[in-house]
């Protein structure tokens, strides 16, 4: 079942936790790709110097951050890699969740071709481990680009999030709360414990 707009209407911290174990779905080239979300980070513009919207910043790049809950916000880092975020709370509030890592479930051959130009059986153990264990990596594997900005994942059929089996809930997984990665510029915000991941999962980017 696709996640509803109501699911995303809470603050980014709560949604970051609730997204662990949920399923990212991407339909591309006639193939359905699926991955279990295993690592997330929360960003809250009003109080967070790591957020692109800190201080009420409104540029063309960050406009999706101010959009309605459940839409996609995709931005690039180092001019090379995309990062995929889900907008939360309410329109105008600039809160979002970065999807940092997923555990690949379906469509692995398509993911391998996108990431390494190889069939899944040709990947080394190191390549297989790094297929989707980071925000830029999963965007390449799932063919998520800036063209997906503003996609409403509560209604879109090409990119959305759905419920997993009952095995994966906040009650049945062990969640780790820790600090975020790659935000050394963010002063006191580097200490916010706003990164969440499933303990022991092989696909988490950094433990």
């Amino acid at each position: 079942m696709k996640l509803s707009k109501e699911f995303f209407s809470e603050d980014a911290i709560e949604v970051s936790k609730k997204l662990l174990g949920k399923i990212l779905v991407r339909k591309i080239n006639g193939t359905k790709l699926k991955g279990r979300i295993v690592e997330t980070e929360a960003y809250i513009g009003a109080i967070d110097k790591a957020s692109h919207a800190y201080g009420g910043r409104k540029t063309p790049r960050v406009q999706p951050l101010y959009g309605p809950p459940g839409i996609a916000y995709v931005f690039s880092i180092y001019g090379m890699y995309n990062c995929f975020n889900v907008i939360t709370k309410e329109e105008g509030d600039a809160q979002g969740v970065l999807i940092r890592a997923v555990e690949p479930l379906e469509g692995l051959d398509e993911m391998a071709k996108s990431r390494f130009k190889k069939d899944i059986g040709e990947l080394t153990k190191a390549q297989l481990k790094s297929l989707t264990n980071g925000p830029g990596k999963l965007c390449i594997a799932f063919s998520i680009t800036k063209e997906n900005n503003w996609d409403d994942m509560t209604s879109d059929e090409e990119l959305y999030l759905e419920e997993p089996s009952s095995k994966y809930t906040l009650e049945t997984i062990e969640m780790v709360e820790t600090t975020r990665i790659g935000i050394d510029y963010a002063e006191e915000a580097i200490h916010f414990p706003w990164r969440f991941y499933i303990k022991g999962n092989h696909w988490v980017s950094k433990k």
Side-chain angles (χ1 to χ4, degrees):
M1 183 176 65
K2 195 177 294 183
L3 300 184
S4 68
K5 195 167 291 292
E6 288 72 27
F7 177 93
F8 299 107
S9 295
E10 295 186 69
D11 71 71
I13 296 171
E14 289 307 308
V15 176
S16 290
K17 298 174 184 179
K18 289 168 55 179
L19 279 172
L20 293 178
K22 299 295 191 285
I23 307 299
L24 169 63
V25 182
R26 175 76 163 129
K27 295 180 181 177
I28 193 79
N29 298 330
T31 301
K32 182 181 286 188
L33 314 181
K34 288 189 175 186
R36 179 176 295 112
I37 297 172
V38 298
E39 183 181 3
T40 60
E41 288 181 347
Y43 290 84
I44 300 178
I47 60 174
D48 182 7
K49 291 180 181 177
S51 170
H52 295 162
Y54 178 68
R57 185 183 300 117
K58 290 186 177 180
T59 65
R61 177 198 191 199
V62 305
Q63 281 302 312
L65 268 172
Y66 292 91
I71 70 165
Y73 169 45
V74 182
F75 66 88
S76 61
I77 54 174
Y78 313 124
M80 298 173 60
Y81 304 108
N82 291 317
C83 292
F84 166 57
N85 303 256
V86 183
I87 300 307
T88 67
K89 195 62 174 177
E90 60 190 24
E91 192 165 1
D93 200 341
Q95 297 194 30
V97 177
L98 171 66
I99 309 302
R100 276 203 61 89
V102 302
E103 175 185 347
L105 299 175
E106 293 183 22
L108 273 69
D109 205 46
E110 184 72 25
M111 295 181 203
K113 289 174 183 175
S114 295
R115 277 277 284 130
F116 299 109
K117 312 302 181 189
K118 296 179 180 180
D119 292 332
I120 191 68
E122 298 176 307
L123 299 189
T124 66
K125 288 184 178 179
Q127 288 174 325
L128 183 60
K129 183 178 180 180
S130 69
L131 191 60
T132 55
N133 67 339
K137 297 173 185 179
L138 74 88
C139 280
I140 296 170
F142 278 75
S143 298
I144 296 173
T145 71
K146 288 184 179 179
E147 292 185 3
N148 297 111
N149 257 335
W150 295 99
D151 283 0
D152 185 345
M153 291 177 288
T154 66
S155 59
D156 195 88
E157 293 302 322
E158 306 299 321
L159 177 65
Y160 57 92
L161 305 174
E162 67 180 16
E163 292 286 354
S165 68
S166 58
K167 175 183 177 182
Y168 290 92
T169 67
L170 283 180
E171 289 71 37
T172 59
I173 64 173
E174 187 172 352
M175 180 180 68
V176 177
E177 300 185 23
T178 187
T179 52
R180 295 170 296 179
I181 297 170
I183 57 167
D184 295 343
Y185 56 87
E187 299 180 3
E188 73 277 0
I190 66 176
H191 303 296
F192 294 175
W194 289 359
R195 182 165 68 98
F196 309 93
Y197 65 84
I198 297 176
K199 185 176 182 179
N201 189 277
H202 180 73
W203 303 94
V204 172
S205 67
K206 183 178 180 180
K207 299 183 173 72

